[in-house]
Amino acid sequence: MASVRFDKVHKRYDNGHVAVHAADFEVADGELLVLVGPSGCGKSTLLRMIAGLESITSGTLSIDGRVVNDVAPKHRDIAMVFQNYALYPHMTVAENLAFGLKLRNMPKAQIQARIAQASQMLGLDAMLQRQPKELSGGQRQRVALGRALVREPKVFLLDEPLSNLDAKLRLTMRTEIARLHRTLGTTMIYVTHDQIEAMTLGQRIVVLRDGQIQQIDTPMALYERP
Ligand code: ADP
Ligand code: ADP
């Protein structure tokens, strides 16, 4: 678990566009925080800066009290789940889960233990030897979650993880992600453009518009003072 703190963080892209303007907020240890706002408001940019996939133009980003502006992604102890799953198509589910751990030279027995645990939590046991193309969209997203899970990150980043799924599956997976958060107690930052998803999932919600934070509150407070 870890806290994440933004201190007057700005992001200006090379073309001059300011995607994030003076972001100033903290995500508490173990919190499930949702970033919500219309397309193009800067949600992904915020998340990608935490992941180290995007540089910070000015300001300070800290994870667990440590400034990470110039820390390489692999040393940040975070895992990210993408909308399009980003699975390796030529690998089995088990290999997909194992891949990142093998890169870190984790012993085989430990990799197997982590795969067993994640696959049990996410109901992947029967799919381990299949390839992504043999799976449904919901199953693929489960594998993507599993691949983040096995790394046992301090912070989970989820970028519109459910927006490629149909409405019914979105509801199921939303419940599953909430359960995962309760079980793990890990800090999670969840990006969505869907207000209902934000209200039902987030412990606190950051409302973004045009790169600016408009509101930070609990769902109840936002409901009473929208
Ligand atoms: P969201 O995730 O809320 O849809 P993004 O963070 O992806 O928003 O984008 C925020 C703004 O920054 C948008 O106006 C987008 O067009 C712009 N943007 C995103 N990536 C780049 C880039 N690499 N170069 C220039 N502008 C970008
Ligand atoms: P290979 O054995 O050729 O490397 P697999 O897809 O069988 O490819 O497995 C990839 C990784 O996942 C390996 O580290 C393997 O030990 C692990 N693994 C495979 N099947 C299981 C399973 N049922 N439970 C736990 N770990 C597994």
Side-chain angles (χ1 to χ4, degrees):
M1 289 209 294
S3 60
V4 176
R5 156 135 214 96
F6 285 86
D7 250 313
K8 301 192 181 65
V9 170
H10 284 262
K11 173 64 187 183
R12 184 172 9 84
Y13 281 109
D14 289 341
N15 64 1
H17 182 78
V18 178
V20 171
H21 193 86
D24 224 12
F25 67 98
E26 176 155 11
V27 189
D29 239 4
E31 183 173 27
L32 201 176
L33 182 112
V34 175
L35 300 175
V36 70
S39 175
C41 70
K43 308 181 294 293
S44 275
T45 302
L46 273 176
L47 215 58
R48 291 166 59 82
M49 286 194 287
I50 303 171
L53 301 173
E54 212 64 79
S55 66
I56 292 162
T57 308
S58 68
T60 313
L61 174 66
S62 318
I63 300 178
D64 235 2
R66 195 167 66 111
V67 176
V68 297
N69 289 32
D70 301 315
V71 175
K74 63 178 174 182
H75 298 304
R76 292 189 183 194
D77 218 352
I78 54 98
M80 188 152 166
V81 177
F82 301 90
Q83 171 178 357
N84 61 3
Y85 326 124
L87 301 176
Y88 304 111
H90 56 287
M91 295 184 192
T92 64
V93 168
E95 287 166 339
N96 264 281
L97 296 177
F99 188 69
L101 306 182
K102 281 186 182 162
L103 282 186
R104 280 146 212 255
N105 296 314
M106 187 179 281
K108 195 160 178 152
Q110 195 181 353
I111 293 180
Q112 284 187 339
R114 290 211 184 173
I115 290 179
Q117 193 185 13
S119 96
Q120 203 245 328
M121 280 185 82
L122 290 162
L124 294 173
D125 286 339
M127 291 165 225
L128 284 172
Q129 300 310 323
R130 289 197 221 156
Q131 294 206 331
K133 65 171 182 286
E134 303 171 278
L135 305 178
S136 70
Q139 291 170 332
R140 283 179 205 174
Q141 195 49 281
R142 237 171 258 243
V143 178
L145 283 167
R147 205 174 46 178
L149 203 66
V150 292
R151 290 171 51 187
E152 300 185 354
K154 283 187 174 172
V155 181
F156 264 98
L157 307 176
L158 301 114
D159 194 356
E160 305 253 9
L162 307 183
S163 39
N164 276 342
L165 306 177
D166 65 52
K168 186 157 171 254
L169 203 51
R170 250 196 330 264
L171 214 57
T172 312
M173 288 301 290
R174 197 195 295 164
T175 312
E176 193 144 331
I177 287 171
R179 182 179 56 80
L180 211 57
H181 175 256
R182 278 196 304 276
T183 310
L184 299 171
T186 316
T187 310
M188 283 190 180
I189 306 176
Y190 188 104
V191 160
T192 181
H193 63 270
D194 182 333
Q195 294 190 19
I196 296 181
E197 199 164 285
M199 293 293 259
T200 50
L201 196 56
Q203 293 177 321
R204 275 193 316 150
I205 298 169
V206 173
V207 182
L208 277 166
R209 182 166 295 245
D210 295 335
Q212 311 235 28
I213 295 175
Q214 298 222 303
Q215 253 179 310
I216 306 180
D217 236 322
T218 61
M220 189 56 86
L222 283 174
Y223 183 73
E224 283 164 358
R225 296 183 272 108

